[in-house]
Amino acid sequence: MESNTSLWPSYDAQSFFDEMLDESGKPRPHYRKLYAWLRRRNGEDMTDLQREADLSLLNQGVTFTVYSDARGTEKIFPFDLMPRLITASEWDKVEAGIKQRLTAMNMFLHDIYHEQNILKEQIIPTDLVVNSPYFCREMMHVDVPGGVYAHISGIDLIRDGNGELLVLEDNLRSPSGVSYVVENRWVMGRVMPDLLQQHRIRAVDHYPQMLFAALSSLARVENPNIAVLTPGTYNSAYFEHAFLANQMGAELVEGRDLLVDNDILYMQTTEGLVRVDVLYRRIDDEYLDPLTFRADSMLGVTGIMHAYRAGNLVLANAPGTGVADDKATYAYTPDIIRYYLNEEPIIPIVPTYLCRRPDELAYVLDHLEELVVKPTDASGGYGMLVGSHATKEQIIAFRQLIADNPEHYIAQPIQKLSTHPTLVEKDGHKVLQPRHVDLRPYAVCGSDGRISVLPGGLTRVALAEGQLVVNSSQGGGSKDTWVLYPEEGENHA
Amino acid sequence: MLSRIARGMYELGRCIERTENVTRILDVNHRMSLELNYFSDLDVWSPMLSITGSRELFDSLYDEVNEINVYDFLLLSEDNPRSMISSLNLAREHARGMRERISEEIWEHINRMHIEIQGVVLDEVINRGSNRFNRRIQLFCNAFNGFADNTMVHGEAWQFLRLGRYLERARMTARILGIKYYILLPDSDEVGRPLDLHQWQALLRSVSGYEAYRRLYRARISPGKVINLMLFDPRFPRSLSYCIRHVRDGLSGIGCHTDSQKTLFAQIATFHEELEEGNGDVVLDQGLRSYLEEINARCSDIHQQLTSGYLDPMIILDSFGHETPMGTQAQQQQQVHQ
């Protein structure tokens, strides 16, 4: 281990796979330039750079609202300056794997909302799908524009102890975070331009154009009016909604700006009612239309489902996509890929125990200490149990919860998420310490099922020592993710 | 632009203007009450409540009409939706929802005042002199207008802010003029005598019009000329005529697309032309009170039409500029089904 710089006082990734350093403590080939750059920096240098980056994000207003704070204070999403690097060859695999997965998911959604062949052939238990809280009966036999259900996705990947990439979670409803991908790169360019120039990195700032192209390709008209529907300024992701609307040249609307007349969606402007052809909605299904879903919703638009079913509107993502990213469905995703595409999954999933199966339930109840237990219908790291980090009382309480309601839970072996050198405060300046990371690449799907994956994505990092949950709602931060061009730092040996 | 944003800017302009005007009304009353010391049996506070149209609400909250209670009600009561603090809170709320549309300076200015005002107690305001507090608020409002005019792009959003500001100011100028009539109905014995002149002078000062009057008319204070200044003088920035001209210009900056919008514009232009011809002595002869009531009704009407024409439109405008009222096609369809 190098110790001639105060940045690396005691770096030990232990038994985890480290993204930058191999077992002998040497940098992996594609990290060599970064490693050499770091050797010329010390803790004070990095403290200054980090401060500059944080200030830059704050001034830009790249913030999220903290719900627990009544005064609506805005904070920056913690950003770690150490970039995460991915080689071109590995990215090819990620990209192919995500395209495969998303294609299968869209076919699956079309099937279960039409003929339901996959249920008839008993590849997936029917009750698991139709009893899912995200299954949307109102979508039965609706022909969605272009046959696309999940237009925007953010599939979470992790790297296990052997260095293998695995799918941890599918996010097919309204995944957030893509604005940070673009902003993080922008900050890196400001704060460490020399480091960026030394690498050949694929760009990420065209994401809004990618999204715009995919969404407008599905509209019936030539120059569609696109709007982004936000729950409002108090929503934690409001910054992202405003960012995407601005960057796409779309109108940022709230439910009260919209109305449906004669099955056509309009927004109220000072020039009268203007038709909306494509709505990228960032509110949940149940709030979308008080006429169809929750009657007390103040966020949605009365009658919007009628406009949608009449084919007068592109709604991204389609209602009811949640049934495909349900954590119970997750266990069947390899079967879904095989069923529709007749291919083996390019990126495997984490082994998953379904508590609804009696034998697996018994195993789960006996091995809670070694498992992560997740509710099937929650996201953001809420309501889960990490067995190795839980107290005895928590385990006993959870055992009861699972036994009472087994269909509501799945369990997975605790994954040894890979680590990445991350700047951590120690004695007044920054040092590098291993912290667990995951990767959320973003993909958009346009007409003819054409999928584009943004080369990069959000590397989320758990900032607390030993913490395995990376969600921002659980105190996680993010890193810039550099997908390198071919030949850039690849080991051909 | 989205009607919601337009409405937010319009309301923001109104809130700030209303904030300032509450303090101006209190000022004029304060000054007049000083002059009225020897009429100690005269109730000078009740008219304030009539003018602000909030007597009922006041009675439900306080036992007695007196200086302290009226100050509390008009300045610091959050139960009164038209109090200074309610207007200020609402202004901040609107500003917060439009952070991307207003400049950073404006946001910071409002937010600071919002924080400052939360700790204010009435006793302190009265003890240190209400005048001092009112000045502070007026300073804030004028600085806001300065920031708005000098740091914002003069596009549609700014125009709606301007509309709100001047329409509210027009109504308030008429209202302040009305105070004179509520406080002391023009008693023929008093007209032209020292007390009457003192009151006109106090009125002028409350709209920053005393020096303007002296400079513009170089004459002793006469009721007809005071009315000229406050209603008809195009040079005086709180006059009705000045305000309505800005409303007209704001609207022409925004543009008129639908029929109802065009009608509204024509109406405001006519209103302005009439004000340019106005004469204070004629108004006094025909009765100031009824004239002010008419002004108030016209301003309310403009507000209604602005709302239906721009802020809550129900007209579908196709790409050829043809108008279709909402719901007509749907009704036809229903008839076919029958």
Side-chain angles (χ1 to χ4, degrees), chain A residues 290-307:
Chain A
L291 217 52
T292 311
F293 305 109
R294 274 179 71 149
D296 63 344
S297 169
M298 305 290 282
L299 305 172
V301 189
T302 306
I304 194 171
M305 282 301 285
H306 285 78

Side-chain angles (χ1 to χ4, degrees), chain B residues 165-184:
Chain B
R165 179 200 300 166
Y166 285 107
L167 197 58
E168 186 68 26
R169 184 179 296 176
R171 300 170 88 165
M172 216 24 104
T173 297
R175 225 168 258 175
I176 287 175
L177 198 52
I179 293 181
K180 164 91 174 92
Y181 274 75
Y182 282 100
I183 292 222
L184 192 67

Side-chain angles (χ1 to χ4, degrees), chain B residues 298-317:
Chain B
R298 286 179 91 159
C299 289
S300 298
D301 186 47
I302 293 174
H303 168 73
Q304 291 297 334
Q305 292 192 49
L306 261 175
T307 304
S308 58
Y310 287 92
L311 309 181
D312 195 14
M314 288 296 168
I315 288 287
I316 301 159
L317 203 64

Side-chain angles (χ1 to χ4, degrees), chain B residues 175-295:
Chain B
R175 225 168 258 175
I176 287 175
L177 198 52
I179 293 181
K180 164 91 174 92
Y181 274 75
Y182 282 100
I183 292 222
L184 192 67
L185 286 168
D187 185 337
S188 52
D189 284 354
E190 280 297 334
V191 171
R193 295 180 61 184
L195 177 63
D196 188 52
L197 290 180
H198 274 302
Q199 287 176 10
W200 284 114
Q201 197 169 317
L203 203 68
L204 282 174
R205 283 193 195 278
S206 75
V207 291
S208 311
Y210 181 71
E211 283 163 39
Y213 183 93
R214 288 288 180 208
R215 195 159 297 139
L216 290 172
Y217 303 140
R218 296 170 198 275
R220 61 184 296 248
I221 292 173
S222 80
K225 287 206 175 67
V226 173
I227 290 169
N228 272 339
L229 182 74
M230 290 181 69
L231 295 186
F232 306 127
D233 200 309
R235 299 166 294 182
F236 180 55
R238 302 197 77 83
S239 80
L240 188 64
S241 168
Y242 183 94
C243 293
I244 296 300
R245 173 156 55 89
H246 274 275
V247 172
R248 184 198 65 188
D249 293 351
L251 214 52
S252 108
I254 291 160
C256 304
H257 311 276
T258 62
D259 288 346
S260 61
Q261 293 175 352
K262 286 169 191 154
T263 311
L264 174 62
F265 182 79
Q267 211 170 314
I268 294 172
T270 311
F271 187 18
H272 179 247
E273 279 163 26
E274 286 170 26
L275 290 173
E276 277 186 314
E277 320 258 290
N279 180 307
D281 289 321
V282 175
V283 169
L284 272 178
D285 278 352
Q286 293 170 351
L288 178 60
R289 193 170 180 168
S290 62
Y291 186 77
L292 291 177
E293 273 164 13
E294 187 200 323
I295 296 287

Side-chain angles (χ1 to χ4, degrees), chain A residues 78-90:
Chain A
F79 171 60
D80 181 70
L81 272 183
M82 283 301 100
R84 192 256 189 92
L85 277 53
I86 299 173
T87 61
S89 56
E90 178 155 54

Side-chain angles (χ1 to χ4, degrees), chain B residues 36-60:
Chain B
L36 281 170
N37 269 345
Y38 59 98
F39 285 99
S40 51
D41 56 332
L42 201 68
D43 173 15
V44 295
W45 299 106
S46 294
M48 304 280 308
L49 301 171
S50 319
I51 288 159
T52 48
S54 47
R55 181 64 199 246
E56 250 175 61
L57 181 64
F58 181 89
D59 286 340
S60 71

Side-chain angles (χ1 to χ4, degrees), chain A residues 165-308:
Chain A
L165 282 174
L166 304 172
V167 173
L168 183 68
E169 210 171 286
D170 297 294
N171 294 291
L172 305 175
R173 279 163 290 156
S174 49
S176 61
V178 72
S179 57
Y180 300 115
V181 175
V182 179
E183 291 290 344
N184 285 354
R185 179 68 54 83
W186 180 85
V187 172
M188 292 292 273
R190 261 182 77 111
V191 177
M192 307 199 291
D194 53 326
L195 185 61
L196 258 85
Q197 274 160 7
Q198 288 174 22
H199 294 79
R200 292 177 58 236
I201 309 160
R202 294 183 63 183
V204 290
D205 57 0
H206 60 294
Y207 177 79
Q209 282 76 47
M210 251 169 74
L211 181 58
F212 181 86
L215 292 178
S216 47
S217 73
L218 291 165
R220 282 183 187 167
V221 289
E222 189 78 24
N223 291 308
N225 280 327
I226 300 182
V228 177
L229 176 60
T230 173
T233 49
Y234 289 98
N235 186 267
S236 64
Y238 180 74
F239 162 75
E240 176 156 305
H241 307 160
F243 172 86
L244 290 174
N246 283 339
Q247 295 289 311
M248 286 197 294
E251 202 67 65
L252 181 65
V253 298
E254 295 179 18
R256 55 195 162 130
D257 297 321
L258 302 174
L259 59 87
V260 172
D261 180 49
N262 198 20
D263 289 349
I264 291 175
L265 180 68
Y266 295 97
M267 54 184 170
Q268 277 193 308
T269 79
T270 53
E271 294 175 30
L273 298 170
V274 174
R275 182 172 174 160
V276 177
D277 305 293
V278 181
L279 190 67
Y280 176 25
R281 48 102 180 198
R282 293 290 296 255
I283 65 175
D284 293 340
D285 285 1
E286 52 178 332
Y287 293 100
L288 197 55
D289 186 349
L291 217 52
T292 311
F293 305 109
R294 274 179 71 149
D296 63 344
S297 169
M298 305 290 282
L299 305 172
V301 189
T302 306
I304 194 171
M305 282 301 285
H306 285 78
Y308 186 58

